[in-house]
Amino acid sequence: DGGITQSPKYLFRKEGQNVTLSCEQNLNHDAMYWYRQDPGQGLRLIYYSQIVNDFQKGDIAEGYSVSREKKESFPLTVTSAQKNPTAFYLCASMDRAHYNEQFFGPGTRLTVL
Amino acid sequence: DQQVKQNSPSLSVQEGRISILNCDYTNSMFDYFLWYKKYPAEGPTFLISISSIKDKNEDGRFTVFLNKSAKHLSLHIVPSQPGDSAVYFCAARESGGSNYKLTFGKGTLLTVNP
């Protein structure tokens, strides 16, 4: 059963702590993405990666970091430098051979207290 | 600067009637457009798409129309069902070197009343 998994569904952290959000896909997709959704803001691109060991900043990369050591995995770290980290985070992947549609995971709701 | 605009934050329609969701864009380099549907606390799911070489694409109850000269697209849902109640995002892909990225609108909340 192919798909994208994000864990956990809900995450709570204290202010000032770094936190890493997991994203795993078994679709054999080359490209992976991280988005943030805030009420009334749509989906904003944080980072994306087209191939292993390579990634680029999106529109709102400040305060975030990523790694892409394996094709299946694209973890996102929300650092203490991110001023407003509380949001719904979505991971997506895409097959570069058919680069028309991105498939999304179920999302992680991060709340920083 | 918003390149993809969904100017209606919400839309309410009666079950069985037509729902029309609108999307405008400013970037003339966009060559592929997608609609996603999203329920609360879930990831978006792909609904329908259209290439810039077409002006219409149909899939069951869902039809997307593209007017390139007006830089406008719309999603028609006929007939609307209560299960269609969700947020609908319009997205666009740019041709050329940035074609791995999608630019999303802010979404329109559709409510279909029984």
Side-chain angles (χ1 to χ4, degrees), chain B residues 12-19 79-84 111-114:
Chain B
S12 183
V13 299
Q14 285 300 118
E15 181 178 4
R17 308 293 287 268
I18 184 171
S19 295
S80 301
Q81 299 173 353
D84 295 330
T111 303
V112 180
N113 301 303

Side-chain angles (χ1 to χ4, degrees), chain B residues 3-95:
Chain B
Q3 298 186 66
V4 177
K5 300 177 185 178
Q6 294 178 256
N7 292 320
S8 298
S10 63
L11 174 68
S12 183
V13 299
Q14 285 300 118
E15 181 178 4
R17 308 293 287 268
I18 184 171
S19 295
I20 300 176
L21 296 97
N22 294 305
C23 178
D24 297 292
Y25 62 95
T26 57
N27 188 342
S28 57
M29 295 298 289
F30 288 150
D31 68 347
Y32 197 81
F33 304 88
L34 307 89
W35 285 94
Y36 282 85
K37 176 180 178 180
K38 185 182 181 300
Y39 294 116
E42 293 185 10
T45 55
F46 171 73
L47 198 56
I48 192 169
S49 61
I50 188 166
S51 166
S52 60
I53 61 173
K54 296 186 175 181
D55 55 18
K56 178 182 174 181
N57 188 26
E58 201 169 346
D59 184 1
R61 296 185 298 113
F62 303 92
T63 303
V64 56
F65 295 92
L66 175 62
N67 182 335
K68 280 186 66 178
S69 60
K71 292 191 175 68
H72 175 82
L73 63 155
S74 60
L75 174 67
H76 292 212
I77 306 174
V78 183
S80 301
Q81 299 173 353
D84 295 330
S85 297
V87 176
Y88 289 79
F89 289 102
C90 173
R93 185 196 72 189
E94 190 173 326
S95 61

